[in-house]
Amino acid sequence: MKKKTELSIETTEMARVLKALGHPVRLYIIQKLSKMNACCYSGDLVDEIPVGRSTLSQHLKELKFAGLIQGEVEPPYIKYCLNKGNWEEARKMFNELFTENEQL
Amino acid sequence: MKKKTELSIETTEMARVLKALGHPVRLYIIQKLSKMNACCYSGDLVDEIPVGRSTLSQHLKELKFAGLIQGEVEPPYIKYCLNKGNWEEARKMFNELFTENEQL
DNA sequence: ATATCATTTCGTTATTTTGCGAAATAAAGA
DNA sequence: TCTTTATTTCGCAAAATAACGAAATGATAT
């Protein structure tokens, strides 16, 4: 078959999530939020991660855009937490990726 | 603490794998190999994926570099299969990422 | 030796990503 | 009002990525 199908929305969407996770700084943040089941502040992170404030802010923005985290304004801080719903979605996608089955 | 620790090797390495998966074409290939528990040829893929031969070749190279697949020369073809060992490693890493626990 | 076949490498171009510091914002305190 | 504090946005430069077609490779068949 010489179909040249478009790649499915599901694959494209999952790749987007994987891409968002595919940077050490962003993965570190997600690991922290996931493992500790906690939230954190940009100011905490900047002391732990070897990157400047504005750069960190960019990464947070990307994670937010990918739907993996959400920010709650708590002046003068912003509290970042996992987006639980989307995180659960991601977990399911990953599970499926690692589960063999006959159809595609 | 104003430590600015280096990010761990584990996090950096896992980010590398995620990054390799974070492109629709590469993810499609891995999905196919994983779900069908099969191998495939570049020539098959080029008919299914909307991308040129040389571009596809580049993506295969990246997946190989990331350790996710391996190519077996079968002239005039090259048979690409999942690198089972590393794939299992990845599965474990992902599982851990989605598992809450207190320490970091 | 030459032609064919699947695939890769090369050279190039366009786009995206990463990172930084300076300036902007937004809220609260003096 | 003028600071201070936490964070983001802006503007920029450097590096990485993605994509392509043309040329190269390596193996086989004529």
Side-chain angles (χ1 to χ4, degrees), chain B residues 72-98:
Chain B
E72 206 178 314
V73 179
E74 236 180 34
Y77 301 95
I78 297 174
K79 185 166 86 176
Y80 285 104
C81 310
L82 270 189
N83 183 323
K84 294 277 178 99
N86 289 343
W87 186 239
E88 177 58 20
E89 276 305 304
R91 197 189 59 72
K92 282 184 198 158
M93 286 196 304
F94 282 59
N95 250 356
E96 204 182 328
L97 178 62
F98 284 99

Side-chain angles (χ1 to χ4, degrees), chain A residues 16-64:
Chain A
R16 263 178 33 83
V17 172
L18 285 157
K19 187 175 177 184
L21 291 170
H23 184 286
V25 167
R26 294 194 294 265
L27 180 58
Y28 175 88
I29 295 167
I30 294 293
Q31 280 177 332
K32 180 162 178 142
L33 296 183
S34 167
K35 287 195 186 174
M36 317 271 304
N37 191 29
C39 298
C40 67
Y41 302 93
S42 177
D44 302 339
L45 292 170
V46 85
D47 294 336
E48 304 170 33
I49 302 177
V51 83
R53 283 166 199 281
S54 60
T55 304
L56 177 58
S57 186
Q58 268 305 118
H59 285 305
L60 288 167
K61 188 176 170 183
E62 271 182 77
L63 287 173
K64 203 160 49 175

Side-chain angles (χ1 to χ4, degrees), chain B residues 6-54:
Chain B
E6 285 288 305
L7 296 182
S8 73
I9 304 284
E10 292 81 43
T11 295
T12 304
E13 186 50 36
M14 184 169 179
R16 264 178 33 81
V17 172
L18 286 157
K19 188 175 177 183
L21 291 170
H23 184 287
V25 167
R26 295 193 294 266
L27 180 57
Y28 175 88
I29 295 166
I30 294 293
Q31 280 177 332
K32 180 162 178 141
L33 296 183
S34 167
K35 287 196 187 174
M36 316 271 305
N37 191 30
C39 299
C40 66
Y41 302 92
S42 177
D44 301 339
L45 292 171
V46 86
D47 294 334
E48 304 171 33
I49 302 178
V51 83
R53 283 166 199 285
S54 59

